[in-house]
Amino acid sequence: MTPATHDIFYSTISSWQWVAHTQNDIWCRSMADATQLRYFLDNRQPASMGCVGYVRQKGPWKMLCIMGDCYRTTPSAKQVRDFYKNIPQLGFDIVEINLNSLYSPEYEVGMRLAGLLRPVGLFSTTLSKYINIQQPLSFDKSWQRNLKQCQQYELTFNAIEQPSQVDIQTYMQMHNEMIERKQFSGYLSQPQLTNLLKDPHFLLTTVTHQNNTIAGMVLYKENNNRAVSLYSVTTPEGRNLSASYWLYKETFTYLAQNSNVHTFDIGRLAPSIADKNSVFLFKNGIDGQTVQYNGEWLWCKKKWMPLALYFLKKYVWKRTQV
């Protein structure tokens, strides 16, 4: 895990098998200031693994947060170990890693041999579902009922490859209404969304009813025939008209017919007994392959830090444990 420059990093990973959307250049520069970003490649010739992280100061602690990873081909346990083993020499008190690459026992072995452990508590689920959109879609009874209901409302689907500022503002109005209604903390800002949608990998899809936009989704099209849902919102009117069901179904159809996308990652699934289980039931109503990500990992300079970090996340920052 050796520091690299921005240009060398992105020229190196440009043709790799796996580059998480959270490693995309536009994404990283939208989520953190350029001065906070750090780029890493392994020492192999040619390089085979890499990642972008961003620096955070949490109280007296200097943290490196790594969201996602990149690799040329699926790495062995030795490759993973060799990449992460020199984390103690990077000069951080804490290194947090959250990976949305597909889970591999080899990957876990490598992480543990490099000295990383699972954190005391998990604050993001490792589950998702892959949907093959190049074959006929299969829905559960709830989805079938809601899709049938949609047909009577004359909903219109839109795939907006080059969104205008009006398109972005409309999406953000829906987004902000959802944030207020569900009492979420900061989620997505208009400047962030504007920057993301400048990159052709990102796509905005919407559903309108009588010229009113009532649902929308931001997704990322990866280089390896896969797309992933990043953000989705529905207005109160859209909920009454089951617009989210139409949005997903028509997004799948559009991608299958107008891109090289074969697999759609529905986004992280969080089954639970809490009220928000409705999100899981919605996403799980489409037939597909349930998968697991490599998930959260942690390295701390001091032994007491993992427990202290857990306390801060759960009781001070009010994050939801899963």
Side-chain angles (χ1 to χ4, degrees):
M1 194 171 182
T2 303
T5 66
H6 167 278
D7 292 348
I8 289 176
F9 178 84
Y10 281 108
S11 64
T12 301
I13 71 168
S14 60
S15 61
W16 283 10
Q17 171 187 316
W18 171 255
V19 177
H21 72 271
T22 49
Q23 301 285 283
N24 173 277
D25 187 21
I26 293 290
W27 174 281
C28 291
R29 289 190 284 119
S30 296
M31 300 302 162
D33 187 88
T35 60
Q36 298 171 322
L37 295 173
R38 301 291 184 271
Y39 305 90
F40 301 96
L41 293 168
D42 65 8
N43 292 320
R44 292 174 175 265
Q45 296 297 329
S48 60
M49 289 190 68
C51 68
V52 184
Y54 56 90
V55 179
R56 287 288 186 267
Q57 192 76 33
K58 296 294 186 180
W61 304 338
K62 187 179 181 183
M63 301 173 61
L64 177 67
C65 303
I66 297 172
M67 301 295 291
D69 54 354
C70 315
Y71 46 75
R72 185 181 297 274
T73 57
T74 304
S76 65
K78 183 178 184 302
Q79 286 176 291
V80 175
R81 181 203 66 186
D82 290 347
F83 181 62
Y84 288 107
K85 68 180 180 181
N86 68 336
I87 280 180
Q89 281 74 55
L90 297 179
F92 297 95
D93 300 297
I94 297 173
V95 177
E96 279 193 314
I97 302 172
N98 196 342
L99 305 174
N100 56 358
S101 49
L102 278 180
Y103 175 80
S104 159
E106 285 279 297
Y107 211 114
E108 176 153 356
V109 169
M111 296 294 273
R112 293 183 179 277
L113 290 177
L116 289 112
L117 296 173
R118 297 293 186 181
V120 173
L122 297 181
F123 292 86
S124 64
T125 178
T126 61
L127 298 176
S128 187
K129 177 175 280 191
Y130 280 4
I131 300 165
N132 185 343
I133 63 173
Q134 295 292 341
Q135 65 182 19
L137 299 170
S138 178
F139 305 103
D140 68 10
K141 291 182 178 179
S142 174
W143 267 79
Q144 293 173 26
R145 182 175 63 254
N146 279 280
L147 287 172
K148 185 177 181 179
Q149 183 178 348
C150 289
Q151 294 176 8
Q152 65 181 302
Y153 299 131
E154 298 183 357
L155 303 181
T156 302
F157 171 79
N158 312 279
I160 309 173
E161 296 280 358
Q162 295 181 323
S164 67
Q165 277 303 112
V166 173
D167 295 322
I168 293 171
Q169 290 170 1
T170 301
Y171 182 91
M172 289 305 304
Q173 289 171 357
M174 295 190 294
H175 173 271
N176 293 336
E177 183 277 330
M178 179 193 73
I179 293 296
E180 183 176 354
R181 172 168 43 86
K182 295 189 175 183
Q183 297 184 334
F184 288 164
S185 57
Y187 200 47
L188 178 68
S189 70
Q190 186 164 324
Q192 287 174 329
L193 182 59
T194 300
N195 286 332
L196 293 180
L197 293 175
K198 292 176 182 176
D199 187 320
H201 287 90
F202 295 90
L203 174 67
L204 174 64
T205 61
T206 63
V207 168
T208 56
H209 178 247
Q210 297 178 350
N211 296 321
N212 293 322
T213 303
I214 58 175
M217 180 196 305
V218 179
L219 59 92
Y220 180 77
K221 296 179 290 183
E222 298 168 351
N223 291 332
N224 56 352
N225 307 118
R226 184 161 43 196
V228 57
S229 172
L230 304 180
Y231 306 103
S232 59
V233 294
T234 309
T235 66
E237 179 188 0
R239 292 194 298 276
N240 291 334
L241 301 183
S242 303
S244 55
Y245 295 87
W246 195 253
L247 173 68
Y248 273 78
K249 175 181 176 296
E250 291 301 297
T251 296
F252 296 156
T253 301
Y254 175 83
L255 291 173
Q257 295 177 350
N258 296 279
S259 73
N260 62 350
V261 172
H262 294 173
T263 303
F264 192 91
D265 183 342
I266 200 68
R268 293 180 186 257
L269 298 174
S272 73
I273 59 174
D275 291 341
K276 70 176 184 179
N277 194 52
S278 59
V279 177
F280 164 73
L281 294 176
F282 170 79
K283 290 184 175 182
N284 199 47
I286 314 169
D287 190 35
Q289 177 190 4
T290 300
V291 297
Q292 183 177 3
Y293 298 146
N294 281 311
E296 295 182 48
W297 293 91
L298 183 68
W299 176 88
C300 291
K301 188 175 183 179
K302 303 291 185 182
K303 291 183 179 180
W304 53 267
M305 286 180 173
L307 188 58
L309 188 60
Y310 169 79
F311 179 88
L312 285 172
K313 287 182 177 181
K314 187 172 180 67
Y315 298 107
V316 178
W317 303 330
K318 305 297 184 182
R319 296 184 185 174
T320 302
Q321 189 174 0
V322 298

